[in-house]
């Protein structure tokens, strides 16, 4: 069975500093990997995905993520955080042999202070 | 930019009552998903439709939950009777099908319906 772990419930960072949100996964076979962001009382917004190809994926709002197969990780990064990046971030995985169904992590709350 | 529509945005009901949520996916998206998100957790898939057919409802509590997508476009999720433990955010998402897998894979979410059962 597949699983996703986001080891940090909350990440605190000062505005202008680099932001990293960690995600590790366990799936059979090759995974499709996703990051979504959720603002209070809102649905999830798609940030980026890894399907195949280059391990470094660039997405919306200056975010990027690196797929590391040996470490089974897909950490989300942003070089310079903004106060407006404060939100709840979810990592999700789908095994390539399980059409459609995403397994989400528990989420990481990001707090960016001015 | 096309969006997934959901209504109502908020619903308060008493236990044992019936509730229904509506979702209109992005036009042309053949795949529709209903997720439940309990506070402090990630979303969990309840049911997945491909056009009007159910693809996966293994996590749907079928004794009280039902979902339909009769014409393969919009969808309704119903709970009858509602229980206290059903209080959660109910999210609808859609994705296209056909073409490259990179195009198919992204699920687009609506704003959700927050349900409170008293």
């Amino acid at each position: 069975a597949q699983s996703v772990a986001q080891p940090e419930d909350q990440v605190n960072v000062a505005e202008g500093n680099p932001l990293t949100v960690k995600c590790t996964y366990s799936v059979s076979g090759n995974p499709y990997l996703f990051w979504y962001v959720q603002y209070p009382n809102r649905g999830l917004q798609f940030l980026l995905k890894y399907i195949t190809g280059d391990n470094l994926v660039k997405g919306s709002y200056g975010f990027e993520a690196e797929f590391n197969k040996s470490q089974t990780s897909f950490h989300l990064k942003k070089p310079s955080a903004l106060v407006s990046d404060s939100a709840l971030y979810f990592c999700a995985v789908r095994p390539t042999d399980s059409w459609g169904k995403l397994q989400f992590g528990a989420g990481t709350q990001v707090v960016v202070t001015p | 930019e096309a969006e997934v529509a959901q209504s109502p945005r908020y619903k308060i009901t008493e236990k044992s009552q019936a509730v229904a949520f509506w979702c209109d996916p992005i036009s042309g998206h053949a795949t529709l998903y209903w997720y439940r998100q309990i506070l402090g957790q990630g979303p969990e898939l309840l049911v997945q439709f491909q056009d009007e057919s159910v693809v996966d409802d293994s996590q749907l509590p079928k004794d009280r939950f039902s979902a339909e997508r009769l014409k393969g476009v919009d969808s309704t999720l119903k709970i009858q009777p509602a229980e206290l433990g059903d209080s959660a955010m109910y999210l609808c998402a859609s994705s296209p099908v056909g073409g490259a897998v990179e195009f198919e894979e992204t699920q687009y979410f609506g704003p959700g319906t927050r349900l409170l059962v008293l």
Side-chain angles (χ1 to χ4, degrees):
Chain A
Q2 67 266 28
S3 65
V4 180
Q6 294 183 241
E8 300 156 316
D9 292 336
Q10 182 165 315
V11 169
N12 298 299
V13 62
E15 188 174 32
N17 283 358
L19 170 64
T20 299
V21 186
K22 296 180 180 178
C23 172
T24 59
Y25 64 89
S26 174
V27 300
S28 57
N30 296 315
Y32 297 153
L33 295 157
F34 303 81
W35 276 101
Y36 284 85
V37 60
Q38 186 177 34
Y39 296 95
N41 293 313
R42 301 290 299 275
L44 277 66
Q45 295 180 27
F46 169 75
L47 281 179
L48 52 79
K49 64 186 176 187
Y50 172 80
I51 301 295
T52 186
D54 193 348
N55 289 343
L56 183 64
V57 178
K58 294 187 181 297
S60 306
Y61 313 118
F63 285 93
E64 61 185 28
E66 184 168 11
F67 170 60
N68 187 318
K69 188 173 183 178
S70 63
Q71 297 186 8
T72 62
S73 67
F74 190 57
H75 301 330
L76 181 70
K77 299 181 180 182
K78 187 172 184 179
S80 178
L82 301 173
V83 172
S84 57
D85 293 328
S86 298
L88 188 57
Y89 291 78
F90 290 98
C91 181
V93 63
R94 170 170 105 62
T96 53
D97 60 354
S98 174
W99 180 51
K101 184 173 182 176
L102 289 179
Q103 179 77 38
F104 284 87
T108 297
Q109 183 70 46
V110 170
V111 178
V112 183
T113 52
Chain B
E1 182 176 318
E3 296 181 341
V4 176
Q6 289 188 250
S7 67
R9 292 293 308 278
Y10 303 92
K11 179 70 177 179
I12 300 175
T13 191
E14 295 183 346
K15 64 180 181 179
S16 79
Q17 296 297 305
V19 292
F21 313 132
W22 177 79
C23 171
D24 191 14
I26 293 173
S27 178
H29 281 194
T31 310
L32 185 146
Y33 313 80
W34 283 101
Y35 288 87
R36 177 170 61 185
Q37 184 182 17
I38 296 170
L39 192 63
Q41 300 181 17
E44 293 182 307
L45 182 70
L46 291 175
V47 61
Q48 177 183 345
F49 289 92
Q50 177 66 35
D51 298 311
E52 66 276 7
S53 300
V54 173
V55 173
D56 184 348
D57 64 356
S58 58
Q59 300 302 310
L60 188 71
K62 299 181 186 64
D63 57 334
R64 297 186 299 107
F65 286 65
S66 64
E68 61 183 17
R69 192 184 184 198
L70 294 177
K71 297 182 179 180
V73 181
D74 59 340
S75 175
T76 302
L77 178 70
K78 298 179 180 178
I79 308 175
Q80 183 173 15
E83 296 181 352
L84 296 179
D86 296 331
S87 295
M89 174 81 89
Y90 290 83
L91 295 164
C92 179
S94 69
S95 64
V97 69
V101 66
E102 292 84 353
F103 178 61
E104 292 181 13
E105 280 303 320
T106 303
Q107 296 183 23
Y108 297 91
F109 285 78
T113 296
R114 183 166 293 284
L115 173 66
L116 178 60
V117 182
L118 302 175

